[in-house]
Amino acid sequence: MKRFLTPVLLLAITSCNSNAEQVKENPTETIAEIEVKVNPEGKTIAERFPVPKGFTRVKTADNSYEAYLQNFKLKPYGSVVHYYNGKVKPNDNIYDAVLDIDVGNYDLQQCADAVMRLRAEYLYEQKRYNDIHFNFTNGFTANYSKWQQGYKITVRGNDVNWVKKTAPATNYSSFRDYLKIVFTYAGTLSLEKELKPVTIV
């Protein structure tokens, strides 16, 4: 029985680099065509995309990041993607489901930002505040635990510093303000340097 990983973030990751080298099929291997069916009634990623025949979904631990993604709530089938300004993103058969999550009204969440947003939202939900941190492209580490203490980030050119400005806060609004700063000064380049490769077996 083959195992099946739900491809949640593939588009968000690969759309960042239009010049990415295409993966070439090994001529010594044959890849059977896999029919992937969609369940229009599915309200989560796992429900919307049942595993293909002959496969079984990888079991995930409760409260794990994998479980969080598989059970992420989706908008009703056929919903369209909206840009930050409310305009509709043309589908052109590039997406088949829409996450039920707002992107705010700032033109900030692009490519790697979508990956960082989901990871940060998961850790925030789990109250793992000390695990929320992202590096800016200049190497500065933006720790959410520091932000919670009332420190804010000031940027002048390539000079980045923490400045105590407000009372400590863990509310969601302050968390989203932290993410705005992260999305502004972190991106694909900095995220790539933070991530570690893993082997899927």
Side-chain angles (χ1 to χ4, degrees), residues 154-172:
T154 62
V155 180
R156 292 183 178 87
N158 205 40
D159 188 22
V160 186
N161 295 285
W162 288 104
V163 178
K164 178 72 171 178
K165 287 190 174 182
T166 65
T170 59
N171 60 72
Y172 187 70

Side-chain angles (χ1 to χ4, degrees), residues 35-42 44-52 74 76-78 95-97:
E35 182 181 7
V36 178
K37 296 183 179 180
V38 176
N39 173 20
E41 303 301 320
T44 66
I45 290 174
E47 292 174 357
R48 183 72 58 82
F49 299 97
V51 296
L74 298 176
Y77 185 72
Y95 61 85
D96 201 25

Side-chain angles (χ1 to χ4, degrees), residues 132-143:
I132 304 175
H133 52 80
F134 298 97
N135 292 340
F136 291 179
T137 53
N138 71 346
F140 177 84
T141 299
N143 294 296

Side-chain angles (χ1 to χ4, degrees), residues 25-173:
E25 181 180 344
N26 187 331
T28 62
E29 298 178 355
T30 57
I31 301 177
E33 183 176 339
I34 300 173
E35 182 181 7
V36 178
K37 296 183 179 180
V38 176
N39 173 20
E41 303 301 320
K43 293 180 172 57
T44 66
I45 290 174
E47 292 174 357
R48 183 72 58 82
F49 299 97
V51 296
K53 183 178 180 180
F55 287 74
T56 181
R57 194 180 302 277
V58 174
K59 294 187 181 300
T60 58
D62 294 340
N63 297 322
S64 67
Y65 184 48
E66 295 85 353
Y68 173 80
L69 293 177
Q70 287 186 2
N71 293 285
F72 205 100
K73 185 178 178 182
L74 298 176
K75 288 184 176 294
Y77 185 72
S79 294
V80 295
V81 171
H82 288 86
Y83 291 113
Y84 71 99
N85 57 9
K87 293 183 178 180
V88 175
K89 176 181 177 62
N91 190 333
D92 297 330
N93 294 317
I94 61 173
Y95 61 85
D96 201 25
V98 182
L99 300 182
D100 191 3
I101 187 172
D102 75 277
V103 296
N105 54 1
Y106 295 87
D107 187 15
L108 292 175
Q109 293 182 53
Q110 306 164 4
C111 302
D113 303 318
V115 178
M116 293 186 285
R117 171 76 186 280
L118 289 173
R119 181 63 178 174
E121 289 279 358
Y122 162 72
L123 293 172
Y124 183 85
E125 182 181 288
Q126 296 290 315
K127 294 183 170 55
R128 291 170 51 184
Y129 303 135
N130 290 336
D131 292 332
I132 304 175
H133 52 80
F134 298 97
N135 292 340
F136 291 179
T137 53
N138 71 346
F140 177 84
T141 299
N143 294 296
Y144 177 61
S145 58
K146 184 86 172 179
W147 181 279
Q148 283 183 311
Q149 298 171 33
Y151 288 88
K152 298 299 177 273
I153 299 172
T154 62
V155 180
R156 292 183 178 87
N158 205 40
D159 188 22
V160 186
N161 295 285
W162 288 104
V163 178
K164 178 72 171 178
K165 287 190 174 182
T166 65
T170 59
N171 60 72
Y172 187 70
S173 177

Side-chain angles (χ1 to χ4, degrees), residues 7-17 110-115 118 188:
V8 182
L9 304 175
L10 180 61
L11 178 60
I13 297 171
T14 58
S15 63
C16 297
N17 185 0
Q110 306 164 4
C111 302
D113 303 318
V115 178
L118 289 173
T188 304

Side-chain angles (χ1 to χ4, degrees), residues 170-185:
T170 59
N171 60 72
Y172 187 70
S173 177
S174 177
F175 169 69
R176 289 294 297 271
D177 287 339
Y178 161 79
L179 289 180
K180 288 179 187 176
I181 296 295
V182 170
F183 297 153
T184 301
Y185 297 104

